Amino acid sequence: LIQLDKMFVNPAGLPGRPLKKHILFAPSMFNTYGGAKFPGITDSYFLATTNGNWGEVEKQVSIAAFYVQAAAKSLSFTP
């Protein structure tokens, strides 16, 4: 399970927060009390509703999809 969790670490970090590297769970940029699921997507979506930068949302969805697919492939067993 530890190896699976490490599959979701993005060395580049989250947008605007390079020290937060986990793409599934991280503190929200806008709600410091609660955590966010897929924080890159949720934070960029929140920003896009105010600044119109929907390209960043698409980028974060692509990043999340890549890491989820890579983790899924690591779970597949081929004899």
Side-chain angles (χ1 to χ4, degrees):
L1 289 174
I2 293 171
Q3 289 301 108
L4 181 64
D5 186 56
K6 289 179 181 179
M7 297 291 296
F8 295 104
V9 174
N10 182 358
L14 296 172
R17 299 180 294 166
L19 297 179
K20 304 292 183 189
K21 299 183 182 300
H22 204 282
I23 66 149
L24 291 183
F25 306 108
S28 172
M29 185 183 295
F30 304 102
N31 177 6
T32 56
Y33 177 74
K37 288 91 179 161
F38 293 99
I41 297 172
T42 56
D43 291 344
S44 61
Y45 176 82
F46 183 82
L47 284 173
T49 59
T50 57
N51 67 13
N53 185 5
W54 295 99
E56 184 62 30
V57 178
E58 291 177 9
K59 178 181 173 185
Q60 293 304 314
V61 169
S62 295
I63 290 170
F66 172 80
Y67 279 94
V68 168
Q69 288 174 347
K73 286 180 184 177
S74 76
L75 291 175
S76 65
F77 177 75
T78 54

